[in-house]
Amino acid sequence: MDLLRSPLHDRHVVLGAKFAEFGGWDMPLEYSGVVSEHTAVRGGVGVFDVSHLGKALVRGAGAAEFVNSCLTNDLGRIAPGQAQYTLCCDADGGTVDDLIVYLRGDDEVFLIPNAANTAAVVARLAQAAPADIEVIDQHRDFAVIAVQGTRSDEVLTGLGLPVDHDYMSFTTGAVDGHEFTVCRTGYTGERGYELVVPAASAGAVWDAVMAAGEPHGIVPCGLGARDTLRTEMGYPLHGHELSDQISPVMARAAWAVGWAKPEFWGKVALEEQKAAKTVRTLRGLRADGRGIPRPGMTVRDASGAIIGEITSGTFSPTLRQGIGLALLDPGVADGDAVTVDVRKRSEAFTVTKPPFVTPSTREA
């Protein structure tokens, strides 16, 4: 099957991007290099094309109430104009996807799922929706441009875009007559914004962002740097820290579950899992030496017994050492000494609570 392409694909070709497949899309992996792009976001500003992410609209009388009865988090905790991290689970508590919900009002909700899971999320919602509620797949209708880093405010201000709204809230903005949504969200741990732009306007908005960012040293960044940045934060990635076999309880994402709600998909199974406390749960690992963990590697305790498996691992450009996320047996505690089987060697690690790097997402 041919890979889908972002509306910005031609821009990335001109910039010399290296491409890779992500969720069925041909997306930029890197431009100048993962480490330099990562460092630009931590110390300045970078721009990512994340148009592969899904987009879906749920509208009709009581749309927000309907979505709230399906997904795990409680939309009652937020107001229109705010966004919320939530999860779509199956009846067994497995994670179909994790996604961001944009609450536009009681009768309209916009969703951003992961690229590979958009069709599944849309299908589940559409099947469950009453006749007067529409669920519309808008995957190809919008681009998403993420401006991330300590100088992201300066870039948006240079374009006349709003920067005074709170973390996880959204508003509208315009550049040269192109209107779009400006949400103070991101996947890097730095202050930043995600611009949800109609596909036909994507090129013009990207060009404007690049021009406004030039005085601030803006760097185009690929999904390779996005992955190292999110790993430093301990953010989950579906297919690694979440899956149909890895529940929100196991991923330590129970904070994104509205336990007091009367219903949501997977509620009974998740409540049982939470009460039993017998499943492996997600932990952070920080290398004591030069070991770099990778997904699938075995984690052992001091006696050599297998206690878990790496779900994500990388060299941290910020810390200059190996870090990872792992599903570990109950009873493993922060500060415990463990080893990871790295290329037939036993490398020492310490269990730690993410994030590995202090986030700046909520800076005023």
Side-chain angles (χ1 to χ4, degrees):
M1 184 178 70
D2 291 339
L3 296 179
L4 299 173
R5 287 183 170 180
S6 160
L8 297 167
H9 185 86
D10 291 348
R11 262 75 172 179
H12 306 316
V13 172
V14 171
L15 288 167
K18 296 179 181 177
F19 291 87
E21 185 272 336
F22 288 88
W25 290 65
D26 192 23
M27 297 298 294
L29 177 66
E30 61 179 287
Y31 302 83
S32 58
V34 170
V35 173
S36 62
E37 293 164 22
H38 178 115
T39 303
V41 173
R42 287 279 181 255
V45 62
V47 58
F48 301 78
D49 176 11
V50 290
S51 300
H52 64 301
L53 295 176
K55 305 96 188 168
L57 181 67
V58 184
R59 68 184 179 193
E65 183 178 356
F66 163 66
V67 170
N68 203 36
S69 71
C70 300
L71 307 183
T72 62
N73 213 335
D74 187 356
L75 284 175
R77 296 172 177 171
I78 66 172
Q82 293 181 299
Q84 185 181 72
Y85 177 81
T86 190
L87 302 107
C88 176
C89 292
D90 59 28
D92 295 329
T95 309
V96 177
D97 200 20
D98 61 333
L99 59 158
I100 301 293
V101 174
Y102 288 50
L103 181 60
R104 292 177 175 169
D106 291 345
D107 301 332
E108 188 168 313
V109 177
F110 185 70
L111 309 176
I112 298 191
N114 285 292
N117 301 325
T118 300
V121 171
V122 168
R124 286 171 180 263
L125 289 169
Q127 184 176 17
D132 55 348
I133 290 179
E134 290 183 284
V135 182
I136 305 166
D137 188 338
Q138 298 184 325
H139 204 158
R140 303 294 302 275
D141 297 347
F142 296 92
V144 183
I145 299 170
V147 183
Q148 302 283 301
T150 56
R151 298 186 66 82
S152 56
D153 276 26
E154 288 86 338
V155 176
L156 266 66
T157 298
L159 291 168
L161 295 174
V163 296
D164 57 352
H165 46 308
D166 292 335
Y167 179 59
M168 295 297 286
S169 66
F170 63 93
T171 186
T172 56
V175 170
D176 296 331
H178 301 279
E179 294 188 358
F180 50 88
T181 300
V182 181
C183 194
R184 195 175 153 197
T185 49
Y187 197 48
T188 66
E190 296 296 337
R191 186 181 179 98
Y193 302 85
E194 291 177 312
L195 315 179
V196 183
V197 182
S201 300
V205 175
W206 174 274
D207 293 345
V209 167
M210 292 295 288
E214 187 174 357
H216 307 289
I218 197 167
V219 172
C221 301
L223 299 185
R226 190 168 182 260
D227 190 59
T228 57
L229 288 158
R230 71 93 189 169
T231 303
E232 287 187 343
M233 290 298 107
Y235 294 159
L237 175 64
H238 194 275
H240 291 251
E241 287 73 41
L242 293 162
S243 72
D244 59 358
Q245 300 298 312
I246 305 174
S247 73
V249 172
M250 297 172 70
R252 301 182 82 178
W255 60 269
V257 177
W259 297 105
K261 293 198 303 181
E263 62 176 330
F264 56 85
W265 293 337
K267 178 178 171 69
V268 172
L270 291 175
E271 287 175 334
E272 292 174 351
Q273 201 174 80
K274 180 185 177 187
K277 298 180 180 179
T278 57
V279 294
R280 284 180 171 178
T281 55
L282 194 67
R283 300 280 180 168
L285 296 181
R286 185 166 175 165
D288 296 338
R290 300 178 63 182
I292 300 175
R294 300 296 183 190
M297 289 181 174
T298 298
V299 184
R300 302 177 186 271
D301 65 14
S303 71
I306 295 175
I307 57 169
E309 182 177 298
I310 301 294
T311 55
S312 292
T314 189
F315 172 79
S316 164
T318 304
L319 301 176
R320 310 296 298 177
Q321 65 183 152
I323 59 171
L325 301 172
L327 284 171
L328 301 181
D329 288 347
V332 178
D334 293 342
D336 284 359
V338 299
T339 62
V340 177
D341 295 351
V342 180
R343 296 181 180 176
K344 300 182 180 180
R345 301 189 311 274
S346 179
E347 295 283 355
F349 284 78
T350 299
V351 179
T352 187
K353 183 179 180 180
F356 300 95
V357 175
T358 303
S360 66
T361 50
R362 297 180 183 273
E363 284 182 352

